[in-house]
Amino acid sequence: MKPVIFGVSGLSLTAEERAFFRDADPLGYIFFKRNCESREQMRALTEELRELSGRADLPILIDQEGGRVSRMVPPVWPAFPAGEVFGKLYDIAPISAIEAARANYHALGMMLADVGVTVDCAPLLDVVTPEVTQAIGDRAFGGEPMRVAALGQACVEGLRRGGVVGVVKHMPGHGRALVDSHLELPRVKVDASALEQDIAPFHALKGAPMGMTCHVVFEAWDAERPATLSPTVIQEVIRGRIGFDGLLMTDDIDMKALSGTPGEKATQALAAGCDVVLDCWARMDEMIEIIGLLPDATPACIERLDRAMATVGADEPDSDFSELIAKRDELLALL
């Protein structure tokens, strides 16, 4: 197994993809809108990927946060609110906000599990500043660490109840970035003491099954390299000070914040201490380059993966999707 998560080009596998993925054996896959047309189509695609890999617990990921970051969209699937909504409710009624977030992500997890998706790249634990880039914006729960941690914990628990693994992101915090890391490299210049509030929610959720890095330079920790490629940030901050021991994946290595070829960025991320590389765009030449350069997944990576996937649907009774949505909406009506 290679420590990489690849995108898929369309609604079904091409013959070229099928042959390549069978030989390459990536750790998992990630879906986007281009892969999500109907329930029947998604079930067929996830089943084919699992059959191809020979792994019943194959991680199939999606970015389904709610709001503008949603891949499964109406009219086929219902819309879900962005994180900011729960943060606003927290101002009025914290317990109600936590319950609303838990019900929301429980229902969302059920929706994903229904089509064979088992990992959701959510929630954001970024503690935002007023100047934060709009790339984060309304996706975040707010600017106070305790609130972010409480709502984030509810989301992870809700997803687990729905049969899906949550991914806390963007470690060690994207909330001070003034520019969009999809387009350029953000630099955070505050000192290490100020960054304590950024890492606080991640420390509170250090037992989360999976996490995702950010492509941000934190000058107080490593002025030369973004977090994804920094041994200092990965090993001393994320693994050390935060204490996170779940499966750690990169954000998409195609983002313009990182420089170099896909293979170079992938190998640098693994060398820095990431467990898995995320490469989203299903470009065959790039995937071939990455597979040609990556080693096999380490025993530590495989152990963390197995531990994370074992949490899916653990000891949860059947739940009613409509009742969960109604509960969420009743609580959000307090706004």
Side-chain angles (χ1 to χ4, degrees):
M1 183 197 304
K2 294 294 185 180
V4 61
I5 295 165
F6 282 138
V8 176
S9 64
L11 300 176
S12 60
L13 296 182
T14 65
E16 184 180 27
E17 284 175 328
R18 192 174 297 109
F20 172 72
F21 291 147
R22 182 182 292 111
D23 292 339
D25 191 22
L27 183 145
Y29 300 89
I30 186 167
F31 286 0
F32 290 84
K33 283 185 181 179
R34 64 179 184 264
N35 311 118
C36 306
E37 181 182 66
S38 70
R39 292 175 178 85
E40 295 73 22
Q41 168 268 322
M42 288 191 71
R43 288 176 190 139
L45 181 54
T46 56
E47 287 172 7
E48 182 175 14
L49 289 168
R50 290 198 168 86
E51 182 179 352
L52 194 64
S53 73
R55 287 181 273 142
D57 62 350
L58 175 75
I60 298 179
L61 290 69
I62 200 166
D63 283 298
Q64 192 77 16
E65 298 172 8
R68 57 194 166 94
V69 180
S70 299
R71 316 308 186 191
M72 298 163 63
V73 297
V76 178
W77 294 279
F80 286 78
E84 182 181 59
V85 172
F86 302 102
K88 289 180 176 178
L89 180 57
Y90 194 97
D91 285 331
I92 301 169
I95 299 302
S96 295
I98 291 168
E99 288 301 315
R102 185 180 291 112
N104 179 78
Y105 274 83
H106 187 169
L108 197 156
M110 292 175 66
M111 183 182 81
L112 301 184
D114 177 61
V115 294
V117 174
T118 49
V119 180
D120 191 12
C121 297
L124 275 70
L125 299 187
D126 302 318
V127 180
V128 294
T129 61
E131 301 82 16
V132 69
T133 171
Q134 284 306 301
I136 300 296
D138 65 357
R139 299 163 62 193
F141 295 127
E144 196 279 311
M146 182 180 294
R147 160 198 317 232
V148 173
L151 292 171
Q153 181 62 55
C155 293
V156 171
E157 175 62 17
L159 287 171
R160 188 194 68 79
R161 292 182 181 185
V164 173
V165 177
V167 181
V168 295
K169 63 186 187 184
H170 306 84
M171 302 179 84
H174 208 306
R176 296 181 189 270
L178 305 183
V179 297
D180 183 354
S181 56
H182 292 87
L183 305 175
E184 56 185 304
L185 178 61
R187 302 187 69 90
V188 172
K189 301 178 183 294
V190 300
D191 62 24
S193 62
L195 291 171
E196 288 298 316
Q197 81 162 11
D198 300 62
I199 66 175
F202 294 105
H203 178 73
L205 273 74
K206 64 183 179 181
M210 295 186 182
M212 179 184 290
T213 65
C214 62
H215 306 327
V216 176
V217 170
F218 297 90
E219 294 189 357
W221 293 325
D222 186 340
E224 303 299 322
R225 292 166 292 196
T228 299
L229 307 182
S230 170
T232 301
V233 175
I234 300 298
Q235 297 170 23
E236 296 182 16
V237 179
I238 295 176
R239 295 300 192 193
R241 293 175 68 179
I242 290 174
F244 178 73
D245 191 37
L247 187 79
L248 185 65
M249 67 187 73
T250 71
D251 206 341
D252 181 16
I253 59 168
D254 187 65
M255 292 163 65
K256 305 310 179 189
L258 304 184
S259 59
T261 71
E264 290 169 346
K265 291 182 281 190
T267 54
Q268 290 170 26
L270 292 183
C274 293
D275 292 311
V276 188
V277 172
L278 183 61
D279 179 66
C280 294
W281 295 103
R283 300 183 184 109
M284 187 57 68
D285 58 336
E286 295 181 1
M287 294 192 294
I288 290 171
E289 180 196 358
I290 290 168
I291 285 295
L293 292 174
L294 291 192
D296 290 339
T298 65
C301 170
I302 294 171
E303 191 277 330
R304 288 169 177 145
L305 173 65
D306 290 345
R307 188 178 353 126
M309 298 310 296
T311 67
V312 173
D315 301 320
E316 282 301 320
D318 290 338
S319 301
D320 186 281
F321 182 87
S322 297
E323 288 180 3
L324 290 166
I325 295 297
K327 178 180 180 180
R328 176 203 68 191
D329 291 347
E330 180 182 359
L331 292 166
L332 290 179
L334 296 170
L335 283 172

